[in-house]
Structures are given as structure tokens and as C-alpha cells.
Amino acid sequence: MVPAMNKTPILLLFLLQVIFIQNLTAQNIDSLLNNKRVYNSESIGKHPPPKIDGLLDDEIWTLGKWQGDFTQQFPFGGKEASENTFVKVMYDRSNLYVAFICQDSEPDKIRDILGRRDARSGDNAGIALDSYYDKRTAFEFSLTAAGQKMDLKHLGDYHFDFNWDAVWDGATSRNDTAWIAEMKLPFSQIRYANRDEHVWGLHFYRVISRKFEADNWQYIPREAPAMVYLFGELKGIKNIRTSRQVEFLPYALGSLARFKGNENTEPFKFNGGLDAKVGISSDYTLDLSVNPDFGQVEADPSVLNLTSFETFFEEKRPFFLEGNDVFDFEMDGDIPYYSRRIGSAPSFSSTYNEWEVSEIPDRTTILGAAKLTGKNRNGLSVGLVNGLTARELGRATDDAGLVKNIEVSPMSNYVASRLKRDFKDGNTIVGGVFSLVNRIAADSVSGQLLPTNAISGGLDLLHHWKNRNYYLEVKTIASQLNGSPGAILKKQLAHNHRFQRPDADYLEVDSLTEHLSGHGGLIRAGKKGGKWNFFLQGQYRSPGLNLNDMGYIRQSDFMGERIEISYDMNEPGKWIRDYYLQLYQEALWSFGGENTGNQVGLILEARNNWLWWLKLYLQYDFTYLDIRELRGGPALRNDGVYMMAISVGTNTAKDLYAAIGYQHRAFGMEQSNEDFLGLSLTWLPIKRLKFSGIARFNQRQYHQQYVTTISENTTDEYIVGNIDHYTLSLTFRGELFITPELSLQYYGSPYYSVGKYDSFRRIDQASSKKTSERWETLDLTYDPALDSYSYERNSETFRFDNPDFSFMQFRSNLVFRWEYKLGSTIYVVWSHDRSGWESMYNPVRDITGDLFGIKGNHVIMVKLNFWFSV
């Protein structure tokens, strides 16, 4: 008989090992903090400034000192860099001048690839400046070996803002032993306190693409919990400008358009506007925009949403992107400031009373916008944005054929603000957020549909200790809507509230109230940095919380918890370069005690020494109640769901690389599952030309897809059915870069989504775990003339339309971009879209050719802007 093994010593040994590793990491961080490298910059004096050409043959580069001795950050953290890198920093009153010499023992293998701005293409090198010296924020400027610019902001804790674009100059060159980068960084483009002599955080880095190697001047371990507080120091900068500057970016725009169904619309339009940036001080910047235009912005991806949740789209408009990081107040996906609300399409129904509403604008006109952002020497960050949108009209037709204009969106003013204050070298941050939407309804239509004003506000606290390895985060939020009883009633019935649910005795619809309020909170504590990390999180949203007038919230009425633990191995072995393993568990409940979510999962990500990568996801959702699927009906029981996803990709440092991914979900019943297959391919036939494509195919068979709600007399019938849903999409990009400043880019994306329903069922006992009790299969009669189904129950006839559908869409644009002068650009854009919808099922293979027979919308636009400063 084999004796039972005592597991206590094994567990104790494991815990001691974890503690030892964490103490070792903390000791390494202490050593780095106490032994920071210092670069002493020198003024160029009366010497002429350099010509930025990447050659370093100007007189100033004979001054000052070169520094080298870079250290690998990865793959072999802490070891000497495989290639030598030397850096030098000089300055005058207005600019910082930076030079890199990136030596390479195999210069023919340097990857000097042109790409989009802010895309890390091939070899690159850069500098980051913590000019606030707050140990959290930094401005980074980088160049690829081909001369393409990259700039971004470090926001602390490995968060970055890639949307930040500065106006600066840079160039590169190559010789037989190295590639060289030369930069001119205007002090006006960064922010700092007014002092006679400055001390800034300083970080130099270099990436050797073919080796997947990153080298640091001041070594920052990959397992460090953050970056900026570990930067080295830049000293010696004295008597520079105060950074107050006024920048202007006027634009002129001419466009020629042809819209399907509106051929009589004036085809040619001329427009103009102005963006301005005013340096109120060296700390704060005021951005202004009059009649902003976003015609060159790439279209949103096609989506057919069959859920009850609103689709979230990323912000792409330059004015709102820049400085958007200061407004960050994210609460597990919910945000009080969602900049796309400003200028969004009117949220107006296609029918209103007896009127059929058509020609609703696809966006509201932004008359003007202003934004104040910055951070002072005391660690106070300020963000304030205000946008004014115009009144918009749509055309409406009544049953008698009478046509009139109807207000679909009133003139509205949007305000969002954010304050944060750093304490104890950025280890403690306290802040708040406030937003306000005020609508000036010109008639009763908008007043009945939209709140007159919407207010939200919140407070947050983030505290770190033990060299930022441990943290505590607390956030609270509250909101109030005011408006007519009709507008507030509409909010109560909306997808993120559903106060009308018949089984929610803790909720009540009030058709007479003129306000709606709610609150929420989140608390998270954990550890980051080192190999082992974890966090524990608790949060809630009260039933009345609503942020969707100015922010974005998927759902209210829940409380929940989440636990994550992860292990990160980044020391290369014989076969494996690095891997990451995460385990998580999450559960949610409504305020009525219903279990609305319960899942466990595992994530594994690994990379081998040939730089191929693998990702594996496993998740199981236990049975839970969905309180929104029936669109105001009772909570519907969802069966347990198994999910498995795997993806594999090749070395992205090659001229041809690909990835393939597969995902399978099983919904707890026979023939109820979902399969997703994705394939991406990128090819660089030459260094200046890049083709990429992503193909996706999704097949979903689901046994209780919501179809409709039938209201007859006092009875509500909730109908679900089996759905066979197929989606096919292709996204193609072609990019030709003649120089870093001159490019031609094409984007095209055909999209098909079709669905067929059968086995319709009437919901009976919605929360039952037994499907025989949960629903009743219907004996239906189909009427081909009306394309509808009907059934009899309790001497009543219930009827609903055939829900089958076929949807196809194609969006594309072709953009010629030329930055003919620093900060000044010419765009020539051809934008095209076409779409078709049929209330019938057609297989994807039968409609792929039909898409290009549909009449589409075309817009040709020429836009010129000119940047200058005073």
C-alpha cells in the first residue's frame, strides 16, 4: 500500500518560492531606483542648429558627449545588448536635438520598412521625456530605420496614448555599419513647469526587429510594474522657452458627392474651418475647433448587432483623440465621457406617432468645440472639453402623404471635465469627473424623446505601495437625467434598464416622473510586477444609473466580483521565448438577486524562439439568467456554454506572415453552437509597399434567439426561435509609401450576414432550467402574402413577421496623403459605401455577387490644411 502524500510541505515550498521571487524582484527595483543613469545635456550656444537629414555632419554633433552601454530588456533581460547603440542630446532655447547611432554587425539585415505613422515597422529607436517629472507621464518620439515618425504619450503602468501627435522633425540614414536617426523636438510640443534649470525623466530605447530584441539605456525590467518611475534623468537644460505658443491649423475642403436615392442633392460643396492650439502656460493647452471636418477618417467596420446592447465604436476623429487620455475614468468598460456622443447621429426612430421619418442625418453638425488639457508642477491634471452641435431636421410623411420637416436632434451642448492630483511621487492619485449634456429642444418632438439635461459625476482613488508592486483602486459614479415624462419613460424602458420586466418586483415604471438617477462603484486591489500577479475586484451599478447621453454604459442593475491570477515567464529557454498564463473567475447578480453571470476561464499565450506565437482560451459559463434578452420580458435562463479558442501566428518580422484562429462555443443543446474562423495575411513585396487582409467566417446556430414581443390586449407573448446565422467578411488594405510623408492607402471591406429562423417557441417559464418548461413549441401558420406567421392561443390570434434577413455592405476609401510641410497636409479622398437589406434568407454564396450591383454612395474630397505657429 502506497502511503498518502502530505501536500502541506509542497504548498509551503510553493508559497516560499513565490515570496522569494517577489522579494528578489523588489530588490532589483530598489537597486534601479537608487542607481539611475544621468545624461547631462549641453547647449549648442551660438552654433547654428543642425539640418535634420540623418547625416550628423553638422558642427553641433562634435559637441557634448555620446553615451552607450545599452542593456537588453528582452529577450535576455539585464544582459548586454547584442549591438552597440550611442546617443547624444543637445539643446537651444527652443528645441531639443537628439541623435542615435545604431550599429549593426549585419547591416544588410536592418529592417528599414516604411509604414503608417505610429506603426512600429521594422527597426526603430526613440526617446521618452518625463518633462513633468511626475514619474507617471512621458512624451515619446521615435523613428524607424526608414524614417517614419512615431510619437505617443506614456500614461503610467504601461498605458499609452498612440493618438497623440506632435509637430516635430526627424530623419534617418544608413552606412556600412549602422543606421542613424536625427531628431529636432520643439519644446512647444511637450509640457513642463517653468524653471531656470530642469531635471526630466529620460528613457532611450532601440528595437532590433529581426531578433525581437529591445534595448534600454536605463534598464527597465519587463517584470517591472510600471515604466516612467524607473526612467533615468536628463539634466543640464537651462533657460529654455516657457513653451507658451499659439498654433493654427486652418483647412479648406471641397467635395463632390453622389448619394443613392438623393441624386438631386447639391453634389458640390465647399467648406472650411479652423483648429487652434493655445499654450496658456507651459503646463496647460487650449485646443479650439470651429466647424471641424472628419471626412478623411476611416469608416467604422460593418456590424450587424442582434444583441440588446449598443455597439461601441472607437474614436477616430483627430480633435477628440488628442489629449483624450486625461479624461480616462474607465470602470470595467463603462465610461462617463464617450467623445463620439458629440456629433453622433440623431437617436430618432424611423416612425413617430403617425409620421414616417426619412432622411435622418448620419451625424449632427459640430458648430464648435474647445478643449483644455494639461498638468502643472504640483501634479494637478486638468481636462475640460465643450462641444456645441446644431439643430438637425429630418423629413417626415404622414398617412395622407403630407411631407414636413421635423426636428430629429435639438441644438445641444456637451461638457466633460476631469481633475486628477498626484501625491507622493505619483504613488497616490485622487481625482474626479463631471459631465453635462444640455439640450435646447425647439419643439415637442425632441423634448418627448430626449432628456433636457443629463448630469454625471464621480470620484476615484489609486494608491500604490511597495515600489508600485501593489495597488488599490476605488471609483464611484452617479448620474441624473431630467426631462419630460415621455423622455424619462423611454429611458426606463431602454435596454440597459428594462424597468418594465414583469418578474422584477424591485423595479417600477413611473410614467409621470421627470428624472432618473442612479449610482455605481468599483473597488480593485492587486499586485502587478514580477512573474506572479493577481487582482480581486468588486463592483456594482444601480438600476437607475445611465451614462449614455455623454458616456457609454452597457448595462446597469448588477453587482459582481472578479478574480484573476497570472504567471508571466519571460526568460528564454531552449524552445520557448516567453509565455503567459492567466486564470480568472467572475460572477454577477442583479439587484433582485438573480445570478446574471458566472464564468471561469484560462488564457495561455506563448512564443517560441522562431518567434511564432500561440494563444489558447478556454472558458465555461455556468447557467445564468439574462435579464435583457427578451427586451423587457422576464429573465431568460441561458444554458451552460463551453468556449475554446486557439490562434497561431508566424514571425511578424518577416516580409510575409500570417495568422489563423478558430473558436468554438457549445450552447448546452444539441446542434446549438457557434464556430468562428479567421485568417490574416500580410505581405511586403518591397519595403515601400504593404498588402494585408483579414478574412472572417462565423456560423452560429442558437436555440433561443429572441425574435419579437407580441402584445395583444393585456397579454405579452415573447417569441424565440432557432437561428442559423452566417457572417462572412473581408478587410483588405493596400499601402504604398513613397516617402514617410507621402503615401497612398486603400481600405475595402465587403460584409455579408444572413439569418434563417425556424422552430419558433413561446416563452413560458423563462427562468426554468428545464427547456420543456422554459418554452412551448408553436404550431404556426405561414401567410406568404404578408410574409408572417400566426398561431392561436386562448382564443386569441397572435401574428409576427418573418424574421429572416439578408444583409450586405461594402465600405471603402482611397486616401492620398502628403505632409508637404511639417504639420501641414493635403488629403485627396475617395469614399464609397453601398448596402442592401432584404427581409428574407439568401445563402451567402448566392448574394456575394449581388453586392456590387447595388447603387452606392460616392464622395470625392480634397482637403488642404496649413499649420503655423506664432
Side-chain angles (χ1 to χ4, degrees), residues 334 539-541 555-560 588-591 596:
D334 298 336
Q539 62 176 323
Y540 81 95
R541 312 285 187 273
Q555 58 181 321
S556 53
D557 188 10
F558 77 87
M559 57 187 75
L588 299 172
W589 296 268
S590 72
F591 270 55
T596 58

Side-chain angles (χ1 to χ4, degrees), residues 512-686:
L512 300 178
T513 186
E514 297 182 351
H515 64 85
L516 177 67
S517 59
H519 47 85
L522 178 146
I523 181 168
R524 180 188 294 136
K527 179 196 170 297
K528 56 185 175 181
K531 297 182 182 297
W532 288 96
N533 292 285
F534 68 89
F535 76 75
L536 298 89
Q537 173 181 289
Q539 62 176 323
Y540 81 95
R541 312 285 187 273
S542 76
L545 181 66
N546 191 303
L547 306 175
N548 282 333
D549 288 76
M550 187 63 177
Y552 177 88
I553 181 172
R554 277 176 59 86
Q555 58 181 321
S556 53
D557 188 10
F558 77 87
M559 57 187 75
E561 54 81 20
R562 184 178 177 91
I563 300 172
E564 288 187 11
I565 183 169
S566 62
Y567 179 78
D568 193 355
M569 194 291 292
N570 49 42
E571 298 173 358
K574 183 177 181 181
W575 305 103
I576 302 299
R577 171 71 66 97
D578 52 52
Y579 69 83
Y580 172 81
L581 181 66
Q582 180 191 103
L583 297 170
Y584 61 89
Q585 176 273 330
E586 183 176 37
L588 299 172
W589 296 268
S590 72
F591 270 55
E594 300 141 312
N595 182 206
T596 58
N598 196 354
Q599 63 183 217
V600 294
L602 176 146
I603 299 174
L604 171 65
E605 300 179 2
R607 190 192 322 268
N608 66 18
N609 285 325
W610 293 272
L611 302 182
W612 285 47
W613 54 264
L614 166 75
K615 295 182 181 180
L616 175 67
Y617 298 82
L618 300 173
Q619 180 175 298
Y620 179 70
D621 287 40
F622 299 89
T623 179
Y624 67 95
L625 292 171
D626 191 329
I627 61 176
R628 292 176 175 81
E629 177 63 20
L630 296 182
R631 278 59 165 180
L636 179 64
R637 172 71 59 183
N638 275 352
D639 302 296
V641 180
Y642 294 90
M643 188 275 286
M644 182 277 293
I646 185 170
S647 55
V648 179
T650 65
N651 184 356
T652 57
K654 300 293 185 181
D655 291 338
L656 179 66
Y657 56 91
I660 186 170
Y662 172 73
Q663 176 179 298
H664 176 76
R665 290 160 60 94
F667 295 116
M669 284 193 66
E670 187 177 352
Q671 295 184 337
S672 186
N673 53 66
E674 181 177 28
D675 293 284
F676 170 85
L677 182 64
L679 174 66
S680 67
L681 185 68
T682 302
W683 179 39
L684 288 79
I686 58 176

Side-chain angles (χ1 to χ4, degrees), residues 11 89 101 156 174 194 260 263 312 318 333 337 356 394 673 696 780 819 823 832 846 858:
L11 293 174
V89 180
I101 299 177
R174 286 183 58 175
N194 289 331
K260 176 183 67 175
E263 286 77 6
F312 182 89
Y337 169 53
E356 188 73 24
N673 53 66
R696 300 180 179 91
L780 295 172
E819 187 177 352
H832 168 76
D846 293 343
H858 301 265

Side-chain angles (χ1 to χ4, degrees), residues 759-762 771-772 775-780:
S759 300
F760 296 98
R761 305 178 177 100
R762 180 189 67 85
T771 57
S772 60
W775 59 60
E776 173 191 344
T777 301
L778 297 172
D779 182 15
L780 295 172

Side-chain angles (χ1 to χ4, degrees), residues 332-499:
D332 200 26
D334 298 336
I335 50 177
Y337 169 53
Y338 179 31
S339 56
R340 288 194 61 145
R341 299 295 183 203
I342 305 175
S344 63
S347 56
F348 201 92
S349 173
S350 60
T351 58
Y352 177 74
N353 294 340
E354 74 278 9
W355 297 89
E356 188 73 24
V357 184
S358 62
E359 298 184 29
I360 298 176
D362 59 358
R363 62 185 179 184
T364 52
T365 301
I366 302 175
L367 299 175
K371 180 167 57 179
L372 174 69
T373 57
K375 186 174 187 176
N376 68 13
R377 69 171 70 186
N378 297 317
L380 177 64
S381 297
V382 175
L384 175 66
V385 63
N386 187 93
L388 179 66
T389 61
R391 178 177 182 247
E392 300 290 350
L393 300 176
R395 293 175 63 84
T397 307
D398 66 5
D399 295 337
L402 179 65
V403 178
K404 73 170 185 177
N405 290 330
I406 188 171
E407 183 182 86
V408 295
S409 180
M411 178 177 283
S412 303
N413 194 66
Y414 297 81
V415 178
S417 61
R418 179 81 161 108
L419 293 174
K420 290 189 292 186
R421 174 73 186 273
D422 297 356
F423 298 93
K424 300 180 180 178
D425 291 328
N427 287 312
T428 301
I429 304 170
V430 178
V433 64
F434 174 81
S435 68
L436 168 67
V437 179
N438 185 34
R439 297 186 175 95
I440 308 166
D443 60 26
S444 61
V445 175
S446 294
Q448 287 298 315
L449 298 177
L450 296 170
T452 304
N453 57 66
I455 302 172
S456 69
L459 300 172
D460 64 329
L461 165 70
L462 177 61
H463 177 65
H464 296 91
W465 66 95
K466 291 286 186 183
N467 287 331
R468 303 199 182 182
N469 275 276
Y470 297 90
Y471 67 94
L472 171 68
E473 183 178 15
V474 180
K475 291 183 177 179
T476 63
I477 192 72
S479 69
Q480 177 158 317
L481 309 179
N482 298 292
S484 69
I488 300 303
L489 176 62
K490 183 180 178 183
K491 289 289 186 179
Q492 294 177 69
L493 306 181
H495 73 275
N496 55 322
H497 297 294
R498 303 300 189 195
F499 279 15

Side-chain angles (χ1 to χ4, degrees), residues 94-396:
S94 299
N95 304 286
L96 198 69
Y97 303 100
V98 183
F100 286 82
I101 299 177
C102 302
Q103 294 183 347
D104 201 308
S105 57
E106 298 178 286
D108 292 341
K109 295 184 179 180
I110 294 172
R111 287 180 57 79
D112 50 347
I113 299 168
L114 281 170
R116 287 188 173 194
R117 181 166 179 158
D118 296 336
R120 296 192 183 277
S121 303
D123 289 19
N124 57 87
I127 179 175
L129 299 167
D130 176 11
S131 52
Y132 287 124
Y133 206 52
D134 62 1
K135 312 296 178 67
R136 289 187 56 83
T137 311
F139 302 89
E140 181 176 311
F141 305 86
S142 311
L143 285 171
T144 70
Q148 184 62 61
K149 294 177 182 177
M150 299 180 290
D151 44 20
L152 57 95
K153 285 174 67 176
H154 292 244
L155 307 178
D157 304 344
Y158 295 101
H159 294 143
F160 307 98
D161 178 14
F162 287 90
N163 298 311
W164 177 74
D165 286 329
V167 179
W168 57 285
D169 201 2
T172 60
S173 67
R174 286 183 58 175
N175 57 37
D176 293 339
T177 61
W179 69 274
I180 298 167
E182 186 178 23
M183 302 179 189
K184 175 184 176 181
L185 309 178
F187 289 128
S188 63
Q189 300 301 301
I190 59 178
R191 299 292 171 260
Y192 48 86
N194 289 331
R195 292 187 175 92
D196 293 334
E197 184 171 354
H198 296 264
V199 177
W200 293 346
L202 177 64
H203 176 60
F204 295 107
Y205 77 91
R206 176 188 178 184
V207 173
I208 305 174
S209 175
R210 69 181 185 275
K211 300 180 181 182
F212 205 74
E213 177 182 330
D215 302 327
N216 297 166
W217 170 75
Q218 167 72 57
Y219 175 53
I220 300 177
R222 285 184 66 187
E223 62 269 18
M227 284 187 64
V228 180
Y229 81 116
L230 294 174
F231 280 11
E233 293 182 344
L234 175 64
K235 295 183 177 180
I237 297 180
K238 305 175 183 178
N239 303 317
I240 61 174
R241 62 173 297 153
T242 60
S243 188
R244 294 184 180 93
Q245 182 163 322
V246 180
E247 302 174 11
F248 296 97
L249 188 67
Y251 80 86
L253 168 71
S255 64
L256 182 65
R258 189 188 74 181
F259 295 105
K260 176 183 67 175
N262 292 286
E263 286 77 6
N264 295 326
T265 303
E266 179 62 36
F268 180 76
K269 292 183 179 180
F270 181 81
N271 204 354
L274 173 69
D275 290 343
K277 188 185 297 288
V278 181
I280 296 177
S281 69
S282 61
D283 303 317
Y284 296 108
T285 301
L286 177 65
D287 291 278
L288 302 170
S289 185
V290 178
N291 194 26
D293 176 79
F294 310 112
Q296 78 278 10
V297 173
E298 187 174 284
D300 291 318
S302 299
V303 175
L304 182 63
N305 188 350
L306 297 181
T307 74
S308 61
F309 299 109
E310 177 188 6
T311 301
F312 182 89
F313 291 109
E314 297 290 340
E315 179 62 88
K316 297 181 180 181
R317 301 170 298 177
F319 175 82
F320 293 104
L321 282 172
E322 187 168 346
N324 213 18
D325 58 278
V326 74
F327 295 95
D328 176 53
F329 195 90
E330 189 263 346
M331 296 177 60
D332 200 26
D334 298 336
I335 50 177
Y337 169 53
Y338 179 31
S339 56
R340 288 194 61 145
R341 299 295 183 203
I342 305 175
S344 63
S347 56
F348 201 92
S349 173
S350 60
T351 58
Y352 177 74
N353 294 340
E354 74 278 9
W355 297 89
E356 188 73 24
V357 184
S358 62
E359 298 184 29
I360 298 176
D362 59 358
R363 62 185 179 184
T364 52
T365 301
I366 302 175
L367 299 175
K371 180 167 57 179
L372 174 69
T373 57
K375 186 174 187 176
N376 68 13
R377 69 171 70 186
N378 297 317
L380 177 64
S381 297
V382 175
L384 175 66
V385 63
N386 187 93
L388 179 66
T389 61
R391 178 177 182 247
E392 300 290 350
L393 300 176
R395 293 175 63 84

